[in-house]
Amino acid sequence: MKRLGAIVAAGIVASGSSCVPASEPAPPAGAIGFSTEPSPGAQGMPLLTADGWTVRFERLAIQVDVSATPRDMTGQRFYGSSETYRFDASKRVEIFARALPVGMATASLSLSGRYIGDLGGRKDYEEERTTILELPPEVIARFKRPADLSAGSPSYPEGPSIVLSLRAEKGDRVITVDVAMDAATSPLGGGTSREVTANALASIPLRVFPEAFFRDSFADALLFGDFAAADTDDDGRLSPDELYQGSSSRFCGGAEPCRSNLAETLRGRAAGLFIIP
Amino acid sequence: MARPLVALAIAIAVLMTFAREARADADAGAAAVPESAPIEPPRPLSQEEPRYPEGETTSATVVVELVVEADGAVSNARVIEGAEPFAAAALDAVTRYRFVPAQRAGKPIRARIRVAVGFTAPEPEAPVKAPDGGAPQTAEARAGPAPIIDEVDVLGSRNPVSSPTQQKLGRAEVRMIPGAFGDPYRAIDVLPGVVPIVSGLPYYFIRGAPPSAVGYFVEEMRVPYLFHFGLGPGVVQPALIEEVSLHPAAYPARYGRFAGGIITGQLREPPTELRGEAQIRLYDAGAYVESPFANGRATAGVGGRYSYTAALLSLFAPNITIDYRDYNARASYAVNDEVRLSAFALGAFDFASNEERGQEMVVFASEFHRLDLRLDRETANTNSRVALTIGIDRTRLEDARFAQNVLLGVRGRHRVRVRKDLDVEVGADVLTESYAGDVPSEYAVKKKDHEDAVNFFSPRTDTSSGAWLSATYYAAKAFELTGTLRGDVFTSAGKAAFGPSPRVSMRVPLVRRVAFVAALGVAPQPPAFAIPVPAVGYRGLPGGLAFAYQKSAGLDTELPYRFSLRTVGFHHSYFNLRDFTRDRSNIDITDIAPPSGSPAQSYGLEVFLNRKLSERFGAFVSYTLSRTVLGSTPMDGGRVAPFDRTHVLQIGGAADLGRGWRASSRLLFYTGWPVEPGTEAPSDGKQQTQSDRLPSFTRVDARIEKRWPFRKAGYISFVIEGLNVTGTRDIVGRNCSGTSCRDTYFGPVIAPSIGVEGAL
C-alpha cells in the first residue's frame, strides 16, 4: 500500500497542471454610426408632386460605406474603421463603423458601387464583407450586375449603389421606373461627431429621403413631369436609355444645349438622399 | 581450470491452456478469427544463453513467465519458480530472447508463455575458452536447444477490434523508428497512405483527406490533440500504448464521425508487477509507473511529462515563454474473473506568451482533461464495455479569446459469438459538448472578428449520437467478412443531420501465403475546424455533413525471411469535405462556408514491404503513389489538390548490433507540391501547368541506442535520435519575377534528441 500511496501522490502532483488563463479585458472600444429613419416616401407612401403626379417608391435599396475616425488618434490601437452596408431604405436599420477607441469620433457616409469585374478566380472578399440588411435575394443579386446609370467605364464595371423602383400616375398615365444607378457621393460631407463609449453604439439619426430624386431645387417643389416626358416610346416604362436621352427643361431652356440628362440628374440628386435631422 | 557449461534444458509441453476465451486478438491487431482456429505457439528465433552465476556449483532450473508480443519481442517477464541467483540470471537472459510470435489463422497474436531455463553445473574437464577471457565460471555463449514453451496464453481477447485493411505498429517497432522519438502516434507516418504536409509536422493527409478529417483515439476515447502545440512531444506516455493502428477505410464499427481515417492507440494490459518507463531529454522529462496491489486484483499507474523549455528559453529569450506538461493515470480493479472496473485519465497543458512593454501577452494557451470510467465484462463468448467519459477543454487564442468545452459521453457495446463462425457486435454512444467562450460586443471589434467569435465561441450544446450493428463471418481459416451498419446523428445550434455509415470489409485467402483484402465504406463527418484546437468548433453544422466513399482492395503476401508485403489500391471520393484550402497562398481557416462543388477524388497505390523493426534485423519500404483532385466549384475548376504529393517513399532499417547497441535509420522522399495556378516560369514566360511541381524533398532520420539491462526486465538506455539529420528544407512556394524565380522554404525542421530512457 505504500507503493499505491506513492503513485496516488504522484498523480495528484502530476495532475496539478496550470490552467489556461482567462481573457484580459480588451481595450475599451465602441462604434459610431447611423440609425436610419425612412421618410414617408421611403416607406412607400404616395407622394403628390407639384405637377400633379402621384409617385410611389416600390423599392429602394442602398449601398453605403460608413467610415469613422477617432478625433484623437494619438496612441490609439485602431486608427479608423469603415464598413459597407446594403439595406432596404424602407426599414429602420443601424449602420455603423466599429472597433473605435472610446472618445470623440466622426462618422461619415458615402454612396459607392462595387467593382464587379473579373476577379481572376479569387473570392469576392468585398462582397463577403458587405453587411446586407433586410433585402430579398433578387435585390441582392441586382447589386452584382452593372449599374444602368453609371459614370464608370466598360473596363472597370461597377455595380450600383442604389436600386430604385417606382410607379407614377397621373390621370390615365402610368410611368414605371426600375433602374440601378451608381451614384458616388458623400451626402454628409465631412461627417458628424459623437462620443464613442465602450461596447455601445453612438447613434446618429439619419433620415432617408428619396423624395430628393424629384425635388427641383429651383422650384423648391417635387416635380415629375420632365421624367414622364422622357418616355418617348410611350410604353409606360422609363428605360435607362430614355433617362439618358431625357433632359430637364430647367436646364435646357433657350439656345443652350442640354448639359445634363435625367440619368445624371438622378445620380446627382442622390446627394440629397440622406438628411441629419 | 574448469569452466561451467550452461545449457538450456527445457521440458517441451505446450499446454495450450487458455486463461480466457481464445478469441480474436486486438492487441495484436489481428482480426477476429474462429475459436476453432489452431494456435501456433511462439517459436524462438534467438536466445541469449544465461550467464552462470559466479561462485555457484550446482545445476538449477528456473521457470519464467513472459509475454511474447505480436512483434516477437519479450515483455512482462517474471520468475515463477527458481531461486536466486539463478532466477536473476534467467530473467536477464529471457528478456533478450526474440520469437516468432504466436499465430492464429496466420495472424500474429500476443501470448503469455512459460519457459524453463536450465543451468548445468560446471564441468571442470570441459576446456572451453570464454569469448572475452572473462571469469572462469562464465559460460561460453553457444547455441543451446530451443527453449521449451510449456504454456501459451493468448492475450488481449478483451477488445477484438480490427479491420482487414488496417496497418499497425507495435511498441517494440515504434521504439526503433527513427524520428518518431518513441511516440506511437508519431510513428504512423511510416505507413503508406500517410502523406505529410511538410516534413516534421505531425499533420497528415490520409488518402487525400485533410488532417481535420482524421480522428485520433486512445482506445475508444477521442482526444482533441495528441501533440503539444500540435507538433511537439506526444501527450500520451508511450509506456501506456501497446500498439497504434491506422484504419484508412471501413473502420471497425465502434469508430466513426471522421471521413479521412481513424488512428487508434491500444492501451497495454494492466501489469502483474511493478513496471515503469522514464525519459529525460534536453527539453523535457517524462515517466510512467504502474503497479498492482490488493493481491494483484487492482492496479494503479501515473505518469506525465514536464517541459523545462520555459526555464531554458528564459536564458536566451527572456521575453518568450513556452511551456507544456501532461499527465496520464490509470487504475483498474478486477471485481471477479469476468468483470473489471477501470479509470483512465489524460490531460495536457500548453502555453506560449511573449512580453510586450512589460506585459505578458498570451499567444496561445490550451489544455484538455479526460476521465474515462469503464466497466468491462468478458465471458467465454461475450465481450462488453460500458463507459462514461467526462472532459473539459480550454483554449486561449490571440486577442484575448477564451473558449471552453465541457463534454460528457456515454457509450456501450456488446460483442457476442452467436455461432462458432459468427460474431455480432451492437453498440451505441452519445456525446454532448457544451461550448462557451468570450464573444465580444459587436460594437467593440471588427465585423469579421465578431462573426468568427459567434461562429466559434458563442455558447451552444452540440450532440453526437451513434449506434451500430456489426457482424463478422469466419467462413474458413483466415477468411473473414465483416458487415457494419452504423448511423450518427449530429445536432448543433438548432441544426440536425444524420450520417449513415455502412461498411464492408473482407480478407479472403487466395493461395498459400496470399490473401485478398478489401474495404468499402461510407464515412460521414460533421464540419471540422481545419486544425484541431480544443473547445473551438463550428456552430450550427455549416455546410452540412461531409461524406467519404471509401473503396480499396489489395493483397497481403507473406514472403520468405518473415517479410510481409501489402499492396493496396484505393479510390476515395469526398463529398462536401472541407479541405484545408484550395489555395496554399491564401489560407483562411475561419472560412465557415467553403464553396460547394463536385466531390474531391483521391486514388492511388500503397505498398508496404516490411520485416519488423523489432527483429534483430528489420527493414521496411513504404511507398505511396497517389493523386488527389479537388472538385470544381462555381468559382473554380477542378484542380490537383495543393498539398498533393505524387510519390512518397520511405526506406528504413534497424539492427541489433549486439552488446546492447541498436541502430536504425530511415530515408524519406516525397514529390513537391503542385505549382500554384498562374505562377509563371521564368525561362519562356509561359504559365506553368498543374503537372509542374515544386522540387522534391529528401531527408534522413537516424537513431542509435545503447542499452544496459538490469535485474528482471529493466534497462537503462542512452539514446541519440535525430529527425532530418540532413537538415533538408521543404520548398513550399515559388515566386517568379522577370527572368528569375525564387523558392520559398519551410524549415528545415530538425529535431535532435539526446536522452536517457529507462524501464523497470
Side-chain angles (χ1 to χ4, degrees):
Chain A
M1 294 305 287
K2 283 184 179 176
R3 182 186 291 169
L4 175 64
I7 287 175
V8 171
I12 292 169
V13 172
S15 62
S17 56
S18 304
C19 290
V20 168
S23 302
E24 299 94 1
I32 184 172
F34 303 92
S35 300
T36 66
E37 297 172 357
S39 70
Q43 294 179 59
M45 296 179 185
L47 306 172
L48 186 60
T49 66
D51 50 4
W53 287 85
T54 300
V55 177
R56 183 192 299 269
F57 290 98
E58 296 180 325
R59 174 179 295 157
L60 179 60
I62 302 170
Q63 178 171 296
V64 293
D65 292 336
V66 180
S67 302
T69 51
R71 181 169 291 179
D72 179 8
M73 293 193 289
T74 307
Q76 296 295 346
R77 187 178 178 192
F78 305 118
Y79 299 102
S81 180
S82 177
E83 289 185 36
T84 302
Y85 291 85
R86 194 179 293 159
F87 62 96
D88 182 345
S90 69
K91 309 281 175 58
R92 291 175 181 270
V93 297
E94 289 185 330
I95 52 178
F96 48 87
R98 45 193 140 188
L100 295 160
V102 296
M104 291 300 291
T106 302
S108 59
L109 270 182
S110 61
L111 288 159
S112 178
R114 182 81 61 220
Y115 173 74
I116 55 170
D118 182 20
L119 294 172
R122 297 189 309 276
K123 290 172 67 172
D124 188 350
Y125 291 105
E126 295 294 331
E127 179 68 20
E128 277 193 356
R129 281 194 282 266
T130 299
T131 301
I132 297 171
L133 302 171
E134 311 268 1
L135 288 177
E138 67 273 15
V139 178
I140 296 171
R142 184 63 191 90
F143 279 91
K144 298 173 185 175
R145 298 198 305 270
D148 303 315
L149 314 180
S150 172
S153 67
S155 62
Y156 192 84
E158 284 187 294
S161 55
I162 297 171
V163 172
L164 171 67
S165 294
L166 63 84
R167 178 186 177 92
E169 298 178 25
K170 183 178 182 181
D172 293 337
R173 284 197 72 190
V174 176
I175 301 288
T176 61
V177 178
D178 191 355
V179 293
M181 66 182 93
D182 169 23
T185 179
S186 298
L188 303 181
T192 305
S193 296
R194 289 287 188 281
E195 178 86 15
V196 172
T197 57
N199 302 328
L201 170 64
S203 185
I204 303 165
L206 181 73
R207 191 153 202 219
V208 181
F209 189 69
E211 290 88 336
F213 286 122
F214 305 108
R215 184 173 181 278
D216 187 309
S217 58
F218 288 94
D220 196 18
L222 300 180
L223 297 174
F224 190 76
D226 289 342
F227 291 90
D231 182 21
T232 52
D233 59 6
D234 206 24
D235 65 351
R237 191 181 73 86
L238 271 179
S239 67
D241 283 344
E242 287 171 325
L243 287 168
Y244 273 113
Q245 297 298 322
S247 61
S248 167
S249 57
R250 180 67 59 181
F251 290 98
C252 294
E256 290 292 320
C258 290
R259 290 186 291 184
S260 179
N261 55 55
L262 291 177
E264 294 304 313
T265 299
L266 278 178
R267 293 181 66 242
R269 285 178 177 173
L273 192 55
F274 299 113
I275 300 169
I276 294 180
Chain B
M1 187 175 286
R3 294 170 183 267
L5 289 178
V6 178
L8 295 173
I10 303 170
I12 301 176
V14 178
L15 299 178
M16 306 293 283
T17 51
F18 302 112
R20 296 173 182 173
E21 168 67 10
R23 297 179 57 199
D25 174 25
D27 284 1
V33 293
E35 183 182 356
S36 58
I39 300 288
E40 187 178 336
R43 287 184 288 113
L45 277 174
S46 64
Q47 66 235 28
E48 196 163 309
E49 292 196 10
R51 297 168 67 88
Y52 188 89
E54 289 186 33
E56 296 297 322
T57 57
T58 61
S59 298
T61 298
V62 177
V63 178
V64 180
E65 182 182 272
L66 56 88
V67 172
V68 177
E69 301 290 346
D71 58 14
V74 169
S75 67
N76 287 0
R78 66 183 183 122
V79 173
I80 300 297
E81 187 179 309
E84 296 292 355
F86 296 102
L91 263 181
D92 183 55
V94 300
T95 54
R96 291 193 289 277
Y97 282 7
R98 294 277 166 180
F99 288 84
V100 174
Q103 297 189 25
R104 170 179 284 153
K107 295 185 176 181
I109 52 180
R110 293 180 76 217
R112 180 178 293 126
I113 64 173
R114 289 183 179 185
V115 299
V117 181
F119 296 84
T120 303
E123 297 178 22
E125 65 277 13
V128 181
K129 183 182 178 183
D132 55 357
Q137 287 84 3
T138 301
E140 181 187 36
R142 59 170 61 179
I148 304 308
I149 300 164
D150 61 14
E151 182 177 335
V152 175
D153 178 7
V154 175
L155 300 176
S157 59
R158 76 190 192 286
N159 193 18
V161 54
S162 65
S163 58
T165 55
Q166 78 177 57
Q167 297 273 14
K168 68 183 179 61
L169 295 166
R171 55 185 283 106
E173 277 188 288
V174 166
R175 283 186 184 283
M176 294 303 292
I177 295 174
F181 304 102
D183 189 319
Y185 289 98
R186 193 181 280 272
I188 64 129
D189 71 353
V190 304
L191 299 174
V194 180
V195 177
I197 295 181
V198 290
S199 166
L201 295 189
Y203 291 105
Y204 312 114
F205 280 80
I206 293 181
R207 292 186 176 174
S212 58
V214 180
Y216 290 93
F217 291 79
V218 178
E219 247 180 37
E220 296 159 35
M221 182 175 69
R222 188 163 73 85
V223 290
Y225 63 84
L226 285 168
F227 305 100
H228 289 287
F229 295 105
L231 50 87
V235 301
V236 183
Q237 278 292 312
L240 268 166
I241 301 296
E242 185 64 52
E243 67 175 27
V244 63
S245 299
L246 166 64
H247 303 276
Y251 329 129
R254 66 192 64 168
Y255 298 112
R257 301 171 189 161
F258 288 91
I262 298 287
I263 294 170
T264 63
Q266 182 72 39
L267 293 179
R268 296 180 76 183
E269 290 269 13
T272 55
E273 60 184 358
L274 176 68
R275 76 179 176 204
E277 290 184 17
Q279 319 92 37
I280 299 174
R281 299 186 287 196
L282 283 177
Y283 42 88
D284 66 14
Y288 184 82
V289 62
E290 192 166 20
S291 174
F293 61 99
N295 296 321
R297 295 180 72 87
T299 64
V302 66
R305 186 186 305 279
Y306 189 84
S307 157
Y308 23 85
T309 47
L312 286 175
L313 266 176
S314 66
L315 301 175
F316 309 104
N319 293 336
I320 297 175
T321 301
I322 295 176
D323 196 6
Y324 61 86
R325 67 201 67 164
D326 57 59
Y327 65 89
N328 301 172
R330 181 169 69 166
S332 71
Y333 179 74
V335 178
N336 53 45
D337 287 346
E338 295 182 349
V339 178
R340 176 181 288 272
L341 288 167
S342 57
F344 175 55
L346 171 69
F349 171 74
D350 294 352
F351 181 84
S353 72
N354 60 27
E355 192 175 305
E356 292 179 9
R357 286 172 285 186
Q359 184 178 359
E360 185 177 45
M361 306 294 290
V362 176
V363 176
F364 176 79
S366 180
E367 66 181 313
F368 77 86
H369 307 273
R370 292 287 184 278
L371 174 63
D372 203 42
L373 304 171
R374 302 160 175 175
L375 172 65
D376 290 291
R377 181 171 185 268
E378 182 178 346
T379 66
N381 288 311
T382 64
N383 181 299
S384 311
R385 169 174 287 181
V386 178
L388 172 73
T389 303
I390 304 166
I392 184 167
D393 301 344
R394 291 195 183 108
T395 288
R396 244 306 283 278
L397 300 174
E398 208 169 359
D399 290 334
R401 195 64 43 72
F402 178 85
Q404 176 174 290
N405 176 22
V406 177
L407 60 90
L408 178 66
V410 180
R411 63 184 190 277
R413 56 173 170 76
H414 179 64
R415 189 177 179 96
V416 60
R417 170 149 301 158
V418 295
R419 263 176 22 196
K420 190 176 178 181
D421 55 359
L422 183 65
D423 277 7
V424 172
E425 179 174 312
V426 294
D429 69 338
V430 178
L431 176 67
T432 66
E433 297 176 275
S434 298
Y435 290 89
D438 292 340
V439 180
S441 162
E442 66 171 319
Y443 302 124
V445 296
K446 301 283 187 185
K447 179 189 172 200
K448 180 73 164 58
D449 293 339
H450 184 256
E451 289 175 348
D452 287 347
V454 169
N455 287 328
F456 297 117
F457 303 108
S458 60
R460 69 183 191 278
T461 297
D462 292 357
T463 67
S464 308
S465 309
W468 64 88
L469 169 65
S470 180
T472 302
Y473 174 55
Y474 306 103
K477 180 182 177 182
F479 182 122
E480 67 175 86
L481 174 65
T482 300
T484 297
L485 287 175
R486 181 182 169 116
D488 291 277
V489 175
F490 305 91
T491 67
S492 176
K495 302 284 180 61
F498 171 66
S501 180
R503 308 165 193 177
V504 176
S505 60
M506 67 181 71
R507 176 188 171 87
V508 181
L510 298 178
V511 295
R512 186 169 177 268
R513 297 180 180 274
V514 179
F516 172 75
V517 292
L520 181 67
V522 177
Q525 175 174 340
F529 201 56
I531 298 173
V533 178
V536 180
Y538 291 113
R539 177 177 189 271
L541 304 172
L545 299 185
F547 287 89
Y549 293 170
Q550 306 164 329
K551 294 152 278 183
S552 58
L555 295 175
D556 263 350
T557 309
E558 292 177 42
L559 300 174
Y561 302 104
R562 292 187 299 284
F563 274 93
S564 64
L565 173 66
R566 168 167 287 185
T567 309
V568 172
F570 69 88
H571 179 215
H572 288 198
S573 303
Y574 300 105
F575 294 77
N576 202 29
L577 181 62
R578 288 155 193 274
D579 202 327
F580 195 63
T581 179
R582 294 183 69 86
D583 179 0
R584 284 197 309 269
S585 60
N586 203 1
I587 294 175
D588 181 7
I589 62 173
T590 63
D591 190 354
I592 64 162
S596 59
S598 58
Q601 310 283 346
S602 184
Y603 48 89
L605 178 71
E606 299 165 355
V607 179
F608 194 45
L609 174 66
N610 184 34
R611 187 174 194 263
K612 289 185 180 298
L613 297 185
S614 51
E615 301 255 13
R616 184 163 186 179
F617 296 98
F620 70 87
V621 176
S622 171
Y623 173 65
T624 306
L625 170 68
S626 67
R627 169 63 57 88
T628 303
V629 180
L630 301 181
S632 61
T633 71
M635 295 285 292
D636 192 12
R639 64 165 71 166
V640 177
F643 294 103
D644 177 78
R645 301 193 188 282
T646 306
H647 307 280
V648 180
L649 173 67
Q650 297 188 64
I651 301 173
D656 185 341
L657 305 175
R659 296 180 180 273
W661 287 95
R662 294 181 177 195
S664 56
S665 181
R666 76 165 148 167
L667 178 144
L668 166 65
F669 164 87
Y670 50 69
T671 311
W673 287 334
V675 171
E676 288 274 290
T679 303
E680 291 186 357
S683 56
D684 53 10
K686 290 180 182 174
Q687 287 214 332
Q688 298 197 352
T689 68
Q690 296 243 316
S691 60
D692 295 315
R693 297 261 170 180
L694 297 173
S696 59
F697 173 87
T698 304
R699 82 162 198 242
V700 173
D701 307 332
R703 179 182 191 276
I704 189 162
E705 172 187 6
K706 168 64 176 171
R707 179 176 289 201
W708 293 272
F710 61 89
R711 65 180 183 84
K712 296 187 178 178
Y715 67 86
I716 291 177
S717 62
F718 178 69
V719 180
I720 300 176
E721 186 168 2
L723 180 143
N724 192 14
V725 297
T726 42
T728 320
R729 295 188 293 179
D730 273 278
I731 296 176
V732 296
R734 174 173 292 169
N735 296 318
C736 293
S737 175
T739 57
S740 64
C741 285
R742 190 163 57 181
D743 291 333
T744 53
Y745 296 90
F746 178 83
V749 175
I750 304 171
S753 174
I754 300 175
V756 177
E757 299 178 4
L760 297 171

